[in-house]
Amino acid sequence: MENAPTGKVLLIGNNPDAWNLVRDALTASNSGSFEVECVQLLSEGLERVGKRGIAAILLDLALPDSHGMETFDKLFSAAADIPILILADGINESLAMEAVGRGAQDYLLPSHLDSYSLSRALRNSIDRKSIEDALYVERERALVTLNSIGDAVLCTDISGRITYLNAVAETLTGWSREEATGRLLAEVFRIIDSDTGNTAKDPLKIAIVENRTVGLTENCILTQRDGSQTAIEDSAAPIHDRAGRIIGAVIVFRDVTAARSVSSQIAYRAQHDVLTDLPNRQLLNDRISQAISMAQRENRSLAVMFLDLDHFKHVNDSLGHAIGDLLLQSVSKRLVAAVRHSDTVSRQGGDEFVVLLAETTHPEDAATSAEKVLRALSAPHSIGEHELHISCSIGISIFQGDGESAETLIQNADLAMYHAKEEGRNRYMFFKPEMNMKAAERQHIEHGLRSALELREFELAYQPKVNLKTSEIDGVEALIRWRHPERGLILPVQFISVAEDCGLIVPIGRWVLGEACRQARAWQDAGLPALTISVNVSAAEFRDKGFIEGVARALSETGIEAGHLELELTERVMMRDVGRAADAFKELKSMGIRLAVDDFGTGYSSLSYLRQFPIDVLKIDRSFVRQIADGNKGSPIVNAIIAMGENLNYIVVAEGVETDEQKLYLQAHGCAMGQGFLFGRPVPAAQFAQWLKAGKYTENGALRVDCPI
Ligand code: C2E
Ligand code: MG
Ligand code: MG
């Protein structure tokens, strides 16, 4: 026996036959436990349902106080939650059917009013009603949820016609649910791929065709009904019926404008230099790699220009970093203006820039660009109240030939730039494979240098400085030599800059100083006339914290007088950090040491800077002395330096004196001292001792060269 629901059934009707039939049927033993309550008027019925406790209603549409459909409608609106069954007969059956269409659960003819049929109809109606209610609640809950979530939701049927939009979807698409329903998705949900500008792939189609959830489409833009655009992220999933058949799809999407602009800002920052806003190293590498692929495909060339400002450090050191930064900004603007739109100007850091010349047909095009850049930078930069002049050195590498990858092209352009610097700056130079050989050579040298000190491979050569009035040897310069076990004698030009770059110059310099002082002392001890010994000091040694202390130790350990030691420094060393260098000079000076400016005239130092230093000696660079040649009127620079030295009380020494003519010219212009092959080449200590004994340079060659080194 079925489990019958219990409950009170309200019968509204005034037909006594029907009353009796119903009563009999429901009191029969197999009817379950339905109780019947009867009223004759609709008004009574309405009053009763208001009191609750009714499980189902049996309704006769013809009542004394109401007739026809109106009877049902009134009751239904008052008791929507109670299942209503219509009691009909053959005559009003069609009216009863209409009531079912409007919400009645069922209708019963007199023939159905037997105990079995009636209780079955009641039970079914009660069950169905409760399922409907549950479904209604479920649907309501889903709709409220869909309308209250922040994501937009849009549903379609299998043919892609819209069946539903939630409130957010209405806002984002600009279509109301009523207007959108029934339209094809593509009309309402217009999306483009912001990377390509084309219509984005329809996620719905993929979801339906491939029967799977389609992930987020990146960089998608939704065009609203009014044409405005919103960055969105979307995903789509198929909707199935109970049999697992696809009946439509749902698209969920959200506005990501804010998130995308933040992430694009982050991406921008990661690829650009903060100071100049130029593309940084990483972005440049990407661009070069892309340009290489294109060039390969189209069989074209491209060029990479590595650019380093000349003496930028001077600006930073003397005028401060803020001015230095402004200068870098000014330089970057000029660079961008000097090249084509399609070229990429990037900052590598510091005062280094790299330019990708993407459209280079011939190397000459790159040369033209480099010349343009040199010219563009050369005009004075107005920074605050300063008018700054700056030049740069440029190295150029060309694809193909000078490298197959972004890294190699940049590296080789860098190498070429380095050579442009060595050649005197403010110029450009193309990469040549020999440069790589030079770089390899430098590495080889560096390797050998590391053990040279320990293996005692260094020695010093001594070159006399002659008093041009008396022709007496008035001093000596100690010059380092490297006696390599395999390569033989190596001159300082080949290894000093390597030693500077790798820091080995500090211990090497310390050795030179100690050895020179020791030798000077040995000559004194041998009874030779005391003379000033000069030692060259390079920038890295001078900057080393222990430098002054090392000098003091060399003096005290050998016992030579401070006044007999002269340190030769180039202008560049002094100009690097004028304040600090001037302090160090003063300290050395207070110890009694003599200070000389080596290679004077090549370092662009201004007189006003120079005067901050307690200098004793100016050594005219030999490139100027060389200008004093046959048939030449002499060198105005040499004249100027001699005159300046006289004014400021410096001893002027001319370097690289090779001919009598030069000597005579220098003598005639009042230059105090000379140094050069004419008087004597750099020689070993023993040879120099012999010269010292002779004491004088004579025109018939008293300082004969037996074994120069
Ligand atoms: P410098 O200090 O200007 O030294 C003079 C250079 O000119 C020496 O070259 C010398 O041999 C060369 N020289 C002298 N007279 C003549 C001449 O009449 N004609 C020509 N053509 N050259 C002449 P060297 O010994 O090869 O040294 C080159 C440079 O290496 C030096 O230039 C100096 O800057 C550096 N150096 C040498 N020894 C040392 C050292 O112990 N420490 C450091 N830091 N640098 C050194
Ligand atoms: Mg020197
Ligand atoms: Mg010199």
Side-chain angles (χ1 to χ4, degrees):
M1 153 118 197
E2 285 169 54
N3 233 352
T6 48
K8 196 167 266 180
V9 174
L10 176 66
L11 193 157
I12 309 173
N14 68 345
N15 179 345
D17 294 343
W19 280 42
N20 289 334
L21 277 171
V22 169
R23 246 203 201 112
D24 291 350
L26 295 184
T27 47
S29 58
N30 62 348
S31 66
S33 43
F34 286 113
E35 261 177 55
V36 194
E37 197 179 320
C38 302
V39 294
Q40 293 187 24
L41 300 176
L42 179 66
S43 54
E44 290 170 334
L46 290 172
E47 196 188 321
R48 180 61 192 91
V49 293
K51 291 186 188 149
R52 319 209 142 260
I54 302 297
I57 300 170
L58 294 170
L59 175 69
D60 193 336
L61 293 174
L63 296 174
D65 59 347
S66 176
H67 269 280
M69 199 51 66
E70 197 191 327
T71 312
F72 172 74
D73 287 346
K74 280 187 180 156
L75 183 67
F76 186 63
S77 61
D81 54 336
I82 306 173
I84 302 172
L85 292 94
I86 309 293
L87 295 173
D89 53 31
I91 307 154
N92 64 5
E93 190 174 347
S94 60
L95 196 66
M97 276 162 77
E98 197 187 326
V100 170
R102 295 167 86 129
Q105 285 294 325
D106 207 349
Y107 68 93
L108 303 164
L109 294 171
S111 57
H112 295 143
L113 296 179
D114 63 284
S115 143
Y116 174 76
S117 304
L118 179 61
S119 58
R120 200 178 125 95
L122 281 168
R123 268 200 309 272
N124 282 348
S125 297
I126 291 167
D127 285 352
R128 199 160 49 227
K129 181 77 183 163
S130 83
I131 289 168
E132 268 176 15
D133 286 353
L135 268 178
Y136 181 84
V137 168
E138 189 74 3
R139 191 178 135 82
E140 270 301 298
R141 191 184 298 140
L143 286 178
V144 169
T145 308
L146 285 173
N147 269 330
S148 59
I149 59 172
D151 288 352
V153 178
L154 191 156
C155 300
T156 73
D157 61 18
I158 182 104
S159 64
R161 288 191 187 277
I162 290 171
T163 54
Y164 174 78
L165 263 86
N166 75 350
V168 181
E170 286 184 320
T171 314
L172 285 184
T173 58
W175 288 82
S176 72
R177 189 176 314 156
E178 290 72 32
E179 287 172 305
T181 302
R183 287 182 195 268
L184 281 173
L185 178 75
E187 212 180 322
V188 174
F189 189 63
R190 291 188 287 156
I191 48 172
I192 45 178
D193 183 334
S194 68
D195 287 344
T196 63
N198 299 330
T199 304
K201 268 193 238 154
D202 182 352
L204 186 98
K205 252 189 207 144
I206 309 173
I208 290 178
V209 172
E210 297 182 12
N211 191 12
R212 64 179 175 91
T213 301
V214 183
L216 306 170
T217 310
E218 267 175 33
N219 301 329
C220 205
I221 302 276
L222 173 72
T223 309
Q224 297 197 357
R225 196 175 183 182
D226 63 5
S228 58
Q229 297 196 314
T230 316
I232 60 157
E233 251 176 20
D234 63 355
S235 66
I239 304 174
H240 300 103
D241 67 7
R242 286 170 71 182
R245 285 179 302 245
I246 298 172
I247 51 165
V250 56
I251 299 180
V252 178
F253 54 103
R254 72 182 69 93
D255 181 350
V256 292
T257 315
R260 208 173 279 168
S261 89
V262 168
S263 76
S264 62
Q265 270 172 30
I266 292 171
Y268 184 87
R269 271 289 130 246
Q271 293 192 315
H272 289 80
D273 171 52
V274 179
L275 179 67
T276 59
D277 218 25
L278 291 175
N280 63 10
R281 197 185 291 254
Q282 185 204 332
L283 183 55
L284 175 86
N285 272 21
D286 289 354
R287 296 245 174 106
I288 299 182
S289 302
Q290 268 173 18
I292 289 177
S293 317
M294 285 245 294
Q296 261 164 346
R297 238 178 291 137
E298 295 166 15
N299 203 17
R300 282 198 293 114
S301 317
L302 63 92
V304 171
M305 217 157 70
F306 199 107
L307 194 151
D308 187 289
L309 300 184
D310 296 332
H311 306 300
F312 175 70
K313 219 174 164 300
H314 285 183
V315 177
N316 255 353
D317 289 348
S318 49
L319 302 174
H321 286 273
I323 299 286
D325 284 355
L326 290 172
L327 179 60
L328 287 172
Q329 286 171 341
S330 167
V331 163
S332 60
K333 282 200 192 98
R334 300 244 183 119
L335 284 177
V336 171
V339 299
R340 292 189 200 152
H341 262 312
S342 51
D343 297 334
T344 301
V345 178
S346 80
R347 177 164 176 243
Q348 297 282 292
D351 60 345
E352 291 178 348
F353 297 84
V354 173
V355 183
L356 160 66
L357 304 169
E359 288 171 24
T360 306
T361 321
H362 305 290
E364 298 87 80
D365 299 343
T368 312
S369 296
E371 277 158 17
K372 253 193 184 166
V373 165
L374 288 172
R375 230 175 303 124
L377 292 199
S378 67
H381 299 254
S382 315
I383 311 284
E385 75 266 30
H386 306 276
E387 285 265 292
L388 299 179
H389 289 264
I390 193 112
S391 61
C392 71
S393 304
I394 300 174
I396 304 169
S397 62
I398 307 273
F399 174 85
Q400 302 160 332
D402 297 346
E404 296 282 298
S405 67
E407 289 74 24
T408 331
L409 285 170
I410 294 176
Q411 204 180 312
N412 287 342
D414 184 6
L415 206 54
M417 183 279 295
Y418 182 82
H419 282 260
K421 289 246 178 218
E422 296 224 308
E423 288 292 311
R425 303 184 157 86
N426 195 19
R427 68 195 62 218
Y428 66 89
M429 208 160 241
F430 281 93
F431 168 76
K432 293 190 206 84
E434 303 91 84
M435 292 176 178
N436 255 328
M437 273 149 58
K438 267 201 172 170
E441 163 74 3
R442 281 177 79 87
Q443 255 183 355
H444 196 75
I445 297 261
E446 182 183 330
H447 187 77
L449 274 181
R450 295 198 178 273
S451 51
L453 259 184
E454 226 168 276
L455 299 174
R456 299 174 165 272
E457 290 170 1
F458 294 120
E459 52 190 72
L460 291 184
Y462 298 92
Q463 187 180 31
K465 292 184 197 171
V466 172
N467 182 318
L468 289 178
K469 273 198 191 123
T470 64
S471 292
E472 277 169 3
I473 297 176
D474 225 6
V476 59
E477 179 171 5
L479 295 159
I480 193 169
R481 300 291 179 261
W482 180 12
R483 203 164 292 277
H484 195 278
E486 291 139 31
R487 299 173 162 215
L489 192 75
I490 304 180
L491 291 173
V493 277
Q494 285 171 275
F495 66 88
I496 289 290
S497 68
V498 182
E500 279 177 342
D501 288 350
C502 67
L504 280 171
I505 193 68
V506 174
I508 292 174
R510 204 173 300 136
W511 176 84
V512 172
L513 195 64
E515 177 64 15
C517 291
R518 193 198 57 73
Q519 185 59 65
R521 174 70 204 218
W523 284 326
Q524 278 179 31
D525 289 351
L528 294 167
L531 79 175
T532 308
I533 188 159
S534 303
V535 171
N536 294 285
V537 177
S538 59
E541 285 177 78
F542 185 63
R543 272 203 309 273
D544 186 64
K545 283 199 194 75
F547 176 68
I548 294 182
E549 205 184 293
V551 174
R553 195 172 332 116
L555 289 178
S556 69
E557 276 174 11
T558 53
I560 70 161
E561 254 177 63
H564 282 147
L565 176 65
E566 182 174 289
L567 298 178
E568 294 190 4
L569 293 111
T570 61
E571 292 161 89
R572 262 171 231 129
V573 175
M574 296 152 62
M575 291 306 133
R576 271 231 167 129
D577 182 351
V578 175
R580 221 190 63 88
D583 288 348
F585 264 60
K586 281 173 198 148
E587 198 172 343
L588 290 164
K589 186 75 212 159
S590 70
M591 289 160 67
I593 292 163
R594 281 165 52 122
L595 297 163
V597 182
D598 206 349
D599 306 341
F600 185 72
T602 57
Y604 317 99
S605 52
S606 71
L607 202 57
S608 61
Y609 277 144
L610 214 58
R611 297 190 65 167
Q612 301 178 31
F613 293 86
I615 294 162
D616 303 286
V617 178
L618 282 187
K619 296 186 78 178
I620 309 174
D621 191 68
R622 69 168 182 270
S623 58
F624 304 120
V625 175
R626 203 181 301 132
Q627 289 169 3
I628 311 166
D630 273 343
N632 193 322
K633 289 217 182 69
S635 162
I637 297 178
V638 170
N639 300 350
I641 299 176
I642 295 172
M644 189 177 108
E646 219 161 68
N647 257 331
L648 297 172
N649 243 347
Y650 298 149
I651 300 166
V652 178
V653 181
E655 292 187 301
V657 183
E658 294 184 357
T659 64
D660 278 319
E661 194 194 358
Q662 288 164 345
K663 185 193 77 176
L664 292 170
Y665 181 93
L666 290 163
Q667 278 172 334
H669 284 80
C671 181
M673 308 244 294
Q675 181 181 350
F677 295 170
L678 179 72
F679 309 113
R681 288 180 177 254
V683 290
Q687 165 81 72
F688 190 80
Q690 283 177 19
W691 285 352
L692 256 190
K693 271 182 210 148
K696 240 184 183 187
Y697 160 79
T698 59
E699 256 146 74
N700 54 18
L703 306 180
R704 287 228 74 87
V705 183
D706 293 340
C707 51
I709 54 172

